[in-house]
């Protein structure tokens, strides 16, 4: 990731255009760039560069984001792509509007709360559920791109997809991360000739590092969408092939026993898909306005609730260990509410207003002591702060979605338009099924439901969107964009975004430092997940307050952009996590 995979055997005019030399291997990154004009940050140099090129061609931030997303769908096919979904938050400079596009995958209409319970009335283990037709949600990514361009962009789909098409046709060199992500799916890919043909060598092992990888099928699929619009995906041959793949996973006779349970998606499900525009979540925090993604994501409401809980502490003025203690406790209580209340708002009455009210936050704050609470802590009752109604009677969801991998793209243009876009196919490699003839992997997003139980807000239902943690965020100050940020990382996305905001807004770190700082993630669990560097620095002092930690090598892989004032911007990506990302500005400062 962040690595520049250069030089296909045939160097396209696109590659020449973006300055990629034929046989050279340029360094990945850079993780930070400062300058003027627009800016972009992603995990992948090719995608970040494609965004900058789109801006230079006169595109706005939305055009550049969709262009870069198309490239990511080619170069990062195990983390995102047209077979998946995601959420885009947009700030439009001309009128200051902040809006979101909900491109979350939907469950096929025929699904029920018991759809995954095919194992003697019980749901199978996660991996078996994942590698099935049942886990595949109706993809939302193409609709997100179409909707974003139509309403807020100036490029056609054909213009935005052109760099992705060129890259898929001409190819790029397989690097270690790409190789490892194939290897992680080797068993599943062996089961499907369509997946094996694209990602495995004839001996059924992962493509070697250094191989030129091309995906002409995906290039043709993008071209179909470019020429026909969204009906090139949601109708006709592509839709037909998706339905066949889901209903009858095209596996070999020697495929892994138990995997590849058929799903129930139909052409109607694809025809009916829409990526609705929804209002963002909003909280004020120390004079800034924080906008993020509302339900069906739990991101914006949980980040917002935690910020509301934290606001009166003035964390920046406290000893750092005490401030971090409050950060962890606020996250713990916000998470208890998230697990209880958050789900698709078209199916469940979500008390969003209550969860985001300052007065409700005060009730949660009153529970915070100077030592760590014992999790799981209970959820609160936001309904009185929501204008009444509702009840907390649904079963709390106890299962937490397995951390998958996703990608976050931050783009701004010189006029102050901004896009914060997190998108995914859920696990690395999604459901493991490449749609035969079309070159893209299908998601396993429906395992983000509480698929193994019924009666929770986030239970499986036909047409419903599974609860997400994605938290693409835009922060305004005085009505002007100030920060754009987000991260992958499943349920840790929420704490990563919260921690970066606290680092930047309260602790006064620069944006690159706020991204790079060691992370800890408290999600109403008995011990807090944290990176080794966090535990090394804070384990003892926070331990004295009753916190315990479980070590994990990396949490998240964020990108962000900050407007520094006077027309200057800094773009930031990870310097180290996941191999580092790539952040560029349109006109770098010398
Ligand atoms: N499926 C996850 C979510 O929507 C994103 C994938 C991941 O990073 O785990 O929250």
């Amino acid at each position: 990731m962040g690595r520049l995979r250069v030089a296909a055997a045939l160097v396209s005019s696109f590659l020449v255009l973006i300055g990629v030399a034929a046989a050279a291997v340029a360094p990945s990154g850079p993780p930070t760039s400062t300058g003027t004009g627009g800016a972009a940050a992603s995990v992948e140099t090719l995608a970040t560069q494609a965004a900058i090129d789109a801006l230079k061609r006169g595109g706005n931030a939305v055009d550049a984001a969709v262009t870069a997303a198309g490239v990511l769908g080619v170069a990062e096919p195990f983390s995102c792509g047209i077979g998946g979904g995601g959420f885009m938050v947009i700030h439009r400079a001309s009128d200051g509007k902040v809006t979101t596009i909900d491109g979350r995958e939907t469950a096929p209409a025929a699904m029920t709360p018991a759809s995954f319970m095919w194992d003697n009335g019980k749901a199978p283990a996660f991996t078996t559920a994942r590698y099935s037709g049942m886990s595949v949600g109706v993809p939302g990514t193409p609709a997100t791109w179409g909707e974003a361009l139509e309403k807020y962009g100036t490029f056609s789909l054909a213009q935005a997809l052109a760099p992705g098409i060129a890259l898929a046709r001409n190819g790029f060199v397989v690097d270690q991360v790409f190789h490892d992500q194939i290897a992680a799916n080797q068993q599943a890919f062996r089961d499907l000739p369509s997946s094996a043909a694209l990602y495995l060598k004839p001996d059924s092992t992962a493509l070697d590092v250094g191989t030129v990888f091309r995906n002409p099928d995906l290039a043709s699929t993008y071209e179909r969408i470019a020429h026909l619009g969204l009906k090139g995906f949601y109708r006709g041959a592509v839709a037909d092939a998706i339905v066949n793949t889901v209903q009858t996973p095209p596996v070999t006779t020697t495929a892994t026993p138990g995997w590849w349970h058929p799903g129930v998606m139909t052409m109607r499900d694809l025809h009916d898909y829409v990526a609705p525009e929804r209002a963002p979540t909003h909280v004020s925090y120390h004079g800034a306005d924080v906008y993020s993604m509302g339900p069906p994501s739990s991101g914006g409401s949980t980040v917002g609730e935690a910020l509301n809980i934290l606001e009166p502490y003035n964390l920046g003025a406290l000893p750092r260990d005490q401030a971090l203690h409050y950060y962890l406790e606020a996250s713990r209580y916000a998470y208890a509410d998230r697990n209880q209340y958050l789900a698709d708002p078209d199916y469940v009455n979500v008390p969003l207003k209550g969860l985001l009210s300052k007065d409700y936050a005060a009730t949660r704050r009153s529970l915070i002591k100077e030592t760590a609470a014992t999790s799981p802590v209970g959820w609160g009752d936001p309904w009185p702060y929501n204008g009444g109604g509702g009840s907390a009677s649904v079963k709390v969801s106890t299962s937490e979605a397995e951390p998958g991998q996703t990608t976050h793209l931050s783009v701004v243009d010189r006029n102050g338009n901004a896009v914060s876009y997190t998108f995914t196919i859920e696990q690395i490699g999604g459901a493991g099924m490449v749609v035969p003839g079309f070159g893209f992997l299908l998601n396993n997003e429906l395992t983000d439901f509480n698929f193994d139980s019924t009666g929770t807000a986030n239970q499986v239902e036909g047409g419903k969107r599974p609860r997400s943690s994605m938290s693409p965020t835009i922060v305004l100050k005085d009505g002007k964009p100030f920060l754009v940020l987000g991260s992958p990382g499943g349920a840790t996305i929420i704490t990563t975004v919260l921690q970066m905001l606290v680092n930047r807004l309260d602790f006064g770190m620069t944006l690159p430092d706020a991204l790079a700082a060691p992370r800890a993630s408290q999600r109403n669990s008995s011990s807090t997940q944290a990176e080794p560097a966090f535990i090394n620095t804070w384990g003892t002092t926070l331990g004295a307050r009753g916190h315990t930690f479980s070590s994990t090598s990396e949490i998240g892989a964020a990108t962000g952009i900050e407007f520094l004032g006077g027309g200057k911007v800094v773009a930031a990506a990870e310097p180290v996590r996941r191999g580092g990302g790539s952040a560029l500005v349109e006109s770098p400062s010398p």
Side-chain angles (χ1 to χ4, degrees):
M1 311 243 178
R3 62 259 183 221
L4 184 53
R5 276 104 52 111
V6 257
L10 297 172
V11 180
S12 73
S13 56
F14 161 68
L15 290 173
V16 170
L17 192 73
I18 66 171
V20 177
V25 178
S28 64
T32 302
S33 293
T34 306
T36 54
S42 80
V43 295
E44 169 63 59
T45 308
L46 289 170
T48 303
Q49 185 65 56
I52 296 293
D53 290 339
L55 294 173
K56 287 187 171 162
R57 285 201 302 275
N60 67 17
V62 172
D63 300 323
V66 175
T67 303
V71 169
L72 285 168
V74 176
E76 298 284 331
F78 311 110
S79 308
C80 64
I82 54 174
F87 300 104
M88 187 183 283
V89 180
I90 300 169
H91 169 262
R92 182 166 63 186
S94 59
D95 59 0
K97 178 179 178 180
V98 182
T99 189
T100 77
I101 297 175
D102 169 4
R104 187 66 161 170
E105 299 90 333
T106 54
M111 286 182 78
T112 71
S115 282
F116 280 91
M117 308 211 182
W118 63 72
D119 196 1
N120 291 320
K122 288 206 170 102
F126 177 83
T127 303
T128 304
R130 170 195 173 183
Y131 290 128
S132 75
M134 203 61 91
S135 73
V136 182
V138 180
T141 291
T144 308
W145 297 352
E147 179 86 1
L149 289 178
E150 194 180 309
K151 289 198 172 151
Y152 299 100
T154 67
F155 281 10
S156 64
L157 269 168
Q159 283 172 296
L161 291 177
I165 292 167
L167 185 66
R169 254 194 220 300
N170 296 309
F172 51 86
V173 175
V174 170
D175 69 1
Q176 193 64 46
V177 176
F178 198 88
H179 168 91
D180 292 348
Q181 292 181 340
I182 297 174
N185 282 282
Q186 200 159 288
Q187 186 178 342
F189 289 173
R190 277 179 189 161
D191 286 352
L192 282 98
S194 56
S195 303
L198 201 54
Y199 294 123
L200 301 180
K201 294 186 294 188
D203 70 355
S204 293
T205 60
L207 294 177
D208 291 326
V209 174
T211 314
V212 174
F213 174 79
R214 296 187 185 86
N215 192 342
D217 284 350
L218 183 58
S220 302
T221 306
Y222 272 25
E223 274 165 352
R224 187 183 282 267
I225 298 169
H227 295 142
L228 299 174
L230 294 181
K231 62 180 184 302
F233 183 89
Y234 290 99
R235 290 168 186 264
V238 178
D240 207 33
I242 293 173
V243 165
N244 286 336
T245 305
V246 167
Q247 289 189 1
T248 316
V251 297
T252 64
T253 50
T254 56
T256 309
W259 288 5
W260 313 116
H261 191 86
V264 292
M265 194 183 293
T266 64
M267 289 294 269
R268 167 64 50 200
D269 291 317
L270 282 145
H271 293 179
D272 288 352
Y273 185 84
V274 283
E277 192 171 349
R278 297 186 191 269
T281 59
H282 169 245
V283 296
S284 60
Y285 187 71
H286 293 169
D289 290 288
V290 181
Y291 293 91
S292 190
M293 192 67 217
S297 182
S298 59
S301 62
T302 312
V303 170
E305 181 183 343
L307 288 174
N308 282 339
I309 294 172
L310 289 172
E311 192 171 32
Y313 288 123
N314 282 318
L315 299 182
L318 296 176
R320 188 59 57 86
D321 63 324
Q322 191 180 10
L324 288 171
H325 164 71
Y326 291 142
Y327 154 68
L328 294 176
E329 294 304 284
S331 173
R332 186 192 307 277
Y333 285 101
Y335 242 91
D337 290 338
R338 172 233 189 232
N339 291 346
Q340 172 67 8
Y341 295 109
L342 263 296
D344 184 343
D346 293 343
Y347 286 70
V348 173
N349 200 2
V350 179
L352 187 62
K353 187 170 154 226
L355 288 168
L356 290 174
S357 100
K358 299 279 184 196
D359 290 340
Y360 177 62
T363 70
R364 303 301 273 160
R365 189 184 316 113
S366 71
L367 303 173
I368 295 180
K369 311 263 185 303
E370 289 306 311
T371 54
T374 304
S375 275
V377 298
W379 57 88
D381 185 1
W383 286 110
Y385 305 88
N386 203 65
S391 78
S393 63
V394 290
K395 238 164 74 183
V396 67
S397 48
T398 47
S399 60
E400 190 176 271
E402 301 273 326
Q405 281 312 347
T406 302
T407 202
H408 183 78
L409 178 61
S410 302
V411 184
V412 305
D413 64 30
R414 69 186 78 84
N415 296 319
N417 298 298
V419 175
S420 190
Y421 183 29
T422 315
F423 63 123
T424 186
I425 58 171
E426 218 296 288
Q427 293 288 294
I428 289 273
M433 299 189 282
V434 170
V435 179
F438 295 96
F440 63 93
L441 281 159
L442 290 171
N443 70 84
N444 68 300
E445 214 70 52
L446 303 190
T447 56
D448 272 1
F449 283 118
N450 294 113
F451 67 87
D452 56 356
S453 57
T454 60
T456 69
N458 188 38
Q459 69 177 355
V460 184
E461 292 176 74
K464 192 177 179 184
R465 292 161 193 242
R467 175 177 64 210
S468 171
S469 298
M470 290 187 265
S471 315
T473 297
I474 294 179
V475 181
L476 306 188
K477 266 192 181 166
D478 303 322
K480 297 260 181 334
F482 171 54
L483 286 175
V484 176
L485 49 81
S487 177
T492 68
I493 293 170
I494 292 168
T495 57
T496 293
V497 167
L498 177 63
Q499 194 174 0
M500 292 190 297
L501 289 172
V502 165
N503 286 344
R504 177 67 196 86
L505 300 175
D506 292 301
F507 299 158
M509 293 183 198
T510 64
L511 181 66
D513 288 350
L515 260 76
R519 295 192 182 123
S521 178
Q522 169 49 249
R523 307 192 300 281
N524 198 17
S525 51
S526 54
S527 78
T528 297
Q529 238 182 6
E531 294 176 340
F534 186 94
I535 299 173
N536 289 343
T537 311
W538 302 111
T540 307
T541 39
L542 289 174
R545 290 176 177 271
H547 293 277
T548 57
F549 295 95
S550 55
S551 181
T552 184
S553 57
E554 280 183 5
I555 297 176
T559 69
I561 297 169
E562 177 173 339
F563 289 84
L564 299 169
K568 280 191 94 176
V569 283
V570 58
E574 296 286 351
V576 176
R577 293 181 187 94
R578 288 214 225 157
S582 163
L584 296 169
V585 295
E586 218 176 332
S587 307
S589 299

